[in-house]
């Protein structure tokens, strides 16, 4: 086999089977963490700090939208979860916690 | 009045991931991808393919799964939730009909794979002086046998779907996908150790960079990336509707599904082409490759019984998990729309597919015609409708913020919205226009008649759903993220 074919073959294996295996392992581990949190505290925060910032930004920009009540409901649920639960699923810095009033 | 029935959920993360990747891994991964790769510049094709996979299939599958998880409804229920109870719900019916027609002829392919798996079990291919071409010709020409195998395929699909999402689809996929992986790895190891096998890998992987400048290479890569991943057919939406509200979608439903599916295509390259080249078989694709060339090669190999068994059982598993997924789109929708139990929905949808599939089982030309119409325009149109619905009707930004990034293992940035709103719909329109341009000159009757049927189907479906507008709507499961 030519060197270029060998390189393409190896890169393909890494880009496909490597990524797929990594995604499967990470996904399964994260699920285990979610299940552990559900068993220990019945709940965990559904949004990461960045995702929650997006949610709040969306609400600020679409406060009159017909969908705003639903999004507010999720914002409230996230805040309550952060205040109620000592353990987090996502990594939150102190600055994030302070900004959400959840410390 | 709106009634609510409980909605089943996937029993485990592994089960969902295996079911969804099993839905996407089908005949195309095994008998088409190796040939398409080799014919389009090898490594150059793979680079184009990877790019399109990450730019289109991964974000598209994220959106479709996320929409299903949000609405927690099947196809028509999702469209009704988004468009209101009016004629535009007919767009969901259009996609549903494409799925049913697709399954009506895919069932014949499942039947072929059952037939060959059976012959692998009884050791037909390793008999002395056995002629695989004669077997394929005899099988192809036997109408009753083809209808019989189509019926067996639909009976199997019916039986599995009767056990439900968790007890049927998930339980099956949890076993079949790992077995398929092991089978292909074993064949690949055997294949690459055959004398002359390296030429097969050279054919598949050797990069011919000039191909990257050819439009045909990118179109072939686009076709493989779209059709192999099943983007926009309603499968990801249906499977997503059975996810829990805090389950991850971007990593599992997006990255793993698209990349995992393609990984099976890569494994097929290792499993198929070393054997093809080792036995000096002309590289090809489709039924000719699997049922004649490879069957013949297995018969000539040491331990050929085992390799034929592994290959044809694996091929059967790949086709069966896909068939189940395509049929489940109809079952979920019918169950919700008719507010009926699962047993009745499964029997009705499978019965309809079985009846519709008989002409395709009897006549390969009908199968070819349906595949031509559905493959060239039906499925791209489905993807176009679903992506427009996500990007513009639902609003891609709202879906990303509310649903896609909820419980996500990876964060999906704003650029995703542009992909779903503009990029994928534009590519779908382009691909349909290209297929029209290329086929009109070569097969004008097929092209015009196929397009006429599709064009009439849209207003007809909208009319049908418009007629139901005045009827009282009874939702059958809770929708929205609060459920």
């Amino acid at each position: 086999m030519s060197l270029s074919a060998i390189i393409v073959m190896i890169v393909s294996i890494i880009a496909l089977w490597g990524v797929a295996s990594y995604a499967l392992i990470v996904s399964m581990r994260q699920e285990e963490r979610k299940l552990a949190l559900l068993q220990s505290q019945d709940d965990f925060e559904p949004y990461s700090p960045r995702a929650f910032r997006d949610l709040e930004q969306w609400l600020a920009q679409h406060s009159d939208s017909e969908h705003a009540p639903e999004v507010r409901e999720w914002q409230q649920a996230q805040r309550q979860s952060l205040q109620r639960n000592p353990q987090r699923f996502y990594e939150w810095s102190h600055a994030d916690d302070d900004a959400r009033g959840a410390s | 009045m709106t009634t609510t029935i409980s909605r089943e959920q996937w029993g485990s993360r592994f089960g969902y991931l295996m079911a969804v990747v099993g839905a996407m891994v089908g005949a195309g991964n095994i008998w088409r991808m190796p040939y398409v790769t080799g014919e389009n510049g090898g490594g150059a094709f793979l680079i184009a393919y990877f790019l399109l996979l990450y730019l289109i299939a991964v974000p598209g599958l994220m959106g479709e799964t996320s929409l299903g998880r949000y609405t927690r409804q099947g196809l028509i229920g999702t469209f009704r939730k988004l468009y209101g109870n009016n004629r535009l719900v007919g767009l969901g019916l259009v996609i549903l009909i494409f799925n049913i027609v697709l399954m009506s002829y895919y069932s014949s392919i499942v039947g072929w794979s059952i037939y060959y798996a059976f012959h692998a079990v009884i050791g037909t291919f390793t008999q002395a002086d056995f002629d695989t071409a004669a077997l394929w010709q005899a099988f192809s020409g036997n109408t009753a046998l083809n209808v019989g195998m189509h019926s067996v395929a639909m009976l199997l699909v019916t039986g599995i779907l009767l056990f439900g999402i968790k007890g049927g689809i998930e339980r099956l996929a949890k076993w079949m996908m790992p077995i398929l992986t092991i089978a292909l790895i074993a064949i690949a190891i055997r294949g690459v150790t055959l004398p002359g096998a390296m030429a097969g890998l050279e054919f598949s992987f050797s990069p011919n960079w000039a191909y990257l400048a050819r439009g045909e290479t990118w179109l072939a890569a686009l076709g493989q990336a779209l059709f192999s991943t099943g983007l926009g057919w309603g499968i990801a939406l249906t499977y997503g509707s059975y996810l829990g509200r805090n389950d991850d979608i971007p990593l599992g439903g997006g990255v793993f599904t698209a990349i995992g599916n393609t990984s099976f295509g890569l494994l097929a390259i290792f499993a198929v082409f070393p054997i093809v080249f080792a036995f000096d078989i002309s590289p090809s694709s489709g039924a000719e490759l699997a049922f004649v060339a490879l069957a013949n090669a297995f018969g000539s190999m040491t331990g050929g019984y085992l390799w034929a068994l592994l290959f044809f059982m694996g091929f059967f598993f790949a086709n069966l998990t896909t068939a189940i997924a395509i049929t489940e789109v109809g079952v979920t929708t019918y169950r919700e729309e008719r507010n009926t139990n699962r047993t009745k929905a499964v029997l009705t949808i499978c019965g309809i597919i079985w009846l519709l599939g008989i002409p395709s089982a009897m006549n390969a030309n009908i199968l070819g015609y349906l595949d031509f119409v559905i493959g060239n325009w039906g499925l791209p149109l489905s993807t176009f409708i679903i992506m427009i619905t996500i990007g513009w009707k639902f609003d891609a930004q709202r879906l990303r913020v509310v649903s896609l990034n909820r419980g996500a293992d990876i964060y999906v940035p704003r650029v995703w919205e542009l992909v779903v709103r503009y990029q994928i719909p534009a590519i779908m329109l382009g691909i349909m226009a290209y297929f029209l341009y290329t086929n009109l000159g070569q097969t004008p009757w097929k092209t015009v008649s196929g397009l006429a049927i599709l064009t009439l189907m849209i207003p007809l479906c909208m009319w049908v759903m418009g007629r139901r507008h005045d009827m009282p709507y009874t939702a059958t499961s809770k929708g929205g993220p609060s459920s």
Side-chain angles (χ1 to χ4, degrees):
Chain A
M1 269 179 84
S2 63
L3 181 65
S4 58
I6 292 170
I7 291 169
V8 169
M9 189 176 76
I10 292 168
V11 169
S12 300
I13 292 169
I14 294 166
L16 290 172
W17 276 97
V19 171
S21 304
Y22 178 76
L24 181 66
I25 291 164
V26 170
S27 191
M28 299 290 293
R29 281 188 180 163
Q30 294 290 66
E31 196 64 12
E32 276 173 24
R33 285 189 56 225
K34 282 178 184 173
L35 287 172
L37 286 173
L38 286 174
Q39 281 170 353
S40 65
Q41 58 189 27
D42 289 333
D43 188 19
F44 61 87
E45 78 285 8
Y47 295 100
S48 69
R50 282 177 84 183
F52 193 48
R53 271 196 293 276
D54 287 346
L55 194 84
E56 292 188 311
Q57 212 171 43
W58 188 94
L59 262 178
Q61 289 167 353
H62 304 85
S63 55
D64 297 330
S65 162
E66 59 175 314
H67 305 293
E70 179 196 59
V71 181
R72 261 187 218 106
E73 195 184 310
W74 291 122
Q75 181 193 38
Q76 197 56 30
Q78 168 91 351
R79 282 183 174 156
Q80 283 172 357
S81 176
L82 288 171
Q83 285 170 346
R84 196 171 48 232
N85 299 318
Q87 288 177 294
R88 306 279 158 80
F89 177 66
Y90 294 104
E91 280 184 25
W92 292 76
S93 67
H94 287 300
D96 284 325
D97 270 352
D98 291 343
R100 310 293 157 224
S103 56
Chain B
M1 188 185 125
T2 300
T3 57
T4 303
I5 59 171
S6 62
R7 191 174 181 79
E8 203 180 350
Q9 281 193 12
W10 299 103
S12 68
R13 184 73 180 159
F14 183 71
Y16 162 70
L17 293 174
M18 290 303 107
V20 75
V21 84
M24 306 313 178
V25 175
N29 295 69
I30 293 170
W31 74 15
R32 188 169 180 270
M33 188 167 166
Y35 181 70
V36 173
T37 304
E39 277 295 286
N40 288 283
F45 170 84
L46 286 173
I47 287 170
Y49 182 60
F50 292 160
L51 270 175
L52 293 170
L53 203 63
Y54 280 101
L55 286 175
I56 297 169
V58 171
L61 283 169
M62 285 179 185
E64 195 185 336
T65 310
S66 188
L67 183 66
R69 202 264 299 266
Y70 178 86
T71 63
R72 308 198 84 178
Q73 298 267 319
L75 258 178
I76 293 180
T78 293
F79 274 74
R80 183 178 289 110
K81 197 172 178 66
L82 267 52
Y83 287 99
N85 198 20
N86 60 47
R87 68 180 62 178
L88 285 170
V89 180
L91 295 172
L93 182 60
V94 170
I95 302 173
L96 180 66
I97 291 172
F98 288 160
N99 266 279
I100 287 174
V101 174
L102 170 66
M103 185 53 208
S104 75
Y105 67 83
Y106 195 78
S107 166
S108 286
I109 298 173
V110 181
W112 301 349
S113 60
I114 294 171
Y115 184 72
Y116 271 75
F118 168 74
H119 273 286
V121 169
I122 61 172
T124 304
F125 308 117
T126 44
Q127 288 171 2
D129 298 327
F130 183 73
D131 186 351
T132 53
L135 177 72
W136 175 241
Q137 277 167 9
F139 176 58
S140 307
N142 190 332
T143 305
L145 187 55
N146 272 277
V147 174
M149 295 320 296
H150 156 67
S151 306
V152 171
M154 282 316 300
L155 274 174
L156 267 175
V157 170
T158 306
I160 292 156
L161 289 179
L162 282 174
F163 284 98
I165 295 294
K166 198 160 73 173
I169 300 174
E170 183 177 336
R171 186 185 290 173
L172 184 89
K174 275 161 77 172
W175 284 100
M176 282 193 170
M177 295 317 290
I179 291 173
L180 173 64
T181 311
I182 292 165
L184 286 176
I185 289 174
I187 299 166
I189 291 170
R190 180 68 189 108
V192 297
T193 53
L194 289 168
M198 287 302 131
L201 295 181
E202 182 76 32
F203 174 76
S204 299
F205 292 110
S206 179
N208 188 339
W209 302 118
Y211 277 75
L212 273 181
R214 283 176 34 170
E216 290 88 346
T217 305
W218 288 90
L219 204 72
L222 185 63
Q224 188 70 24
L226 286 173
F227 301 133
S228 172
T229 54
L231 171 64
W233 306 0
I235 295 173
L237 184 148
T238 303
Y239 276 21
S241 74
Y242 293 102
L243 282 170
R245 64 182 183 179
N246 287 332
D247 283 339
D248 156 81
I249 287 174
L251 189 63
V255 175
F256 177 76
T257 305
I259 306 301
N261 162 66
T262 311
S263 299
F264 281 93
L266 181 74
L267 202 46
I269 292 176
F270 283 105
V272 172
F273 269 20
I275 295 173
V276 166
F277 277 76
F279 285 87
D280 205 20
I281 300 164
S282 174
S284 62
S285 65
E288 187 72 22
L289 171 75
F291 299 139
V292 180
L294 283 175
N296 187 37
F298 290 133
S300 310
M301 284 164 67
T302 310
Y305 175 84
L306 176 67
W307 306 119
L309 186 68
L310 286 175
F311 178 81
F312 286 112
M313 289 305 285
F315 190 59
F316 162 56
F317 288 173
N319 288 330
L320 184 65
T321 47
T322 301
I324 284 165
I326 299 168
T327 312
E328 180 57 37
V329 174
V331 170
T332 294
T333 303
Y334 184 85
R335 189 184 172 208
E336 288 169 0
E337 291 305 305
R338 307 299 295 183
N339 199 10
T340 188
N341 61 45
R342 186 171 178 88
T343 303
K344 195 174 173 188
V346 169
L347 293 176
T348 306
I349 291 295
C350 290
I352 291 169
I353 291 171
W354 176 73
L355 272 175
L356 289 175
I358 290 173
S360 294
M362 292 175 75
N363 188 333
N365 290 330
I366 295 174
L367 189 154
Y369 177 74
L370 291 175
D371 190 38
F372 174 80
V373 176
I374 295 289
N376 279 325
W377 299 288
L379 296 177
L381 181 63
S382 294
T383 310
F384 177 78
I385 292 171
I386 285 189
M387 289 303 136
I388 288 290
T389 300
I390 291 171
W392 297 94
K393 183 59 191 171
F394 189 97
D395 178 13
Q397 187 189 17
R398 187 161 70 92
L399 188 68
R400 183 181 71 87
V401 165
V402 172
S403 179
L404 186 55
N405 275 328
R406 184 186 173 98
D409 292 339
I410 50 171
Y411 173 78
V412 180
R414 189 161 288 176
V415 69
W416 175 85
E417 296 163 20
L418 300 175
V419 173
V420 170
R421 271 191 180 148
Y422 302 103
Q423 188 178 285
I424 303 178
I427 288 172
M428 288 303 122
L429 285 179
I431 206 166
M432 283 188 280
Y434 179 81
F435 286 148
L436 175 63
Y437 172 73
T438 51
N439 288 309
L440 204 54
Q442 293 167 359
T443 50
W445 183 86
K446 276 171 81 176
T447 305
V448 171
S449 62
L451 277 179
I453 293 168
L454 287 189
T455 311
L456 286 173
M457 215 168 88
I458 296 170
L460 185 68
C461 287
M462 289 171 74
W463 176 75
V464 168
M465 296 315 287
R467 271 175 64 92
R468 293 187 69 190
H469 175 69
D470 295 332
M471 297 176 189
Y473 166 57
T474 306
T476 55
S477 66
K478 272 187 178 177
S482 56
S483 56

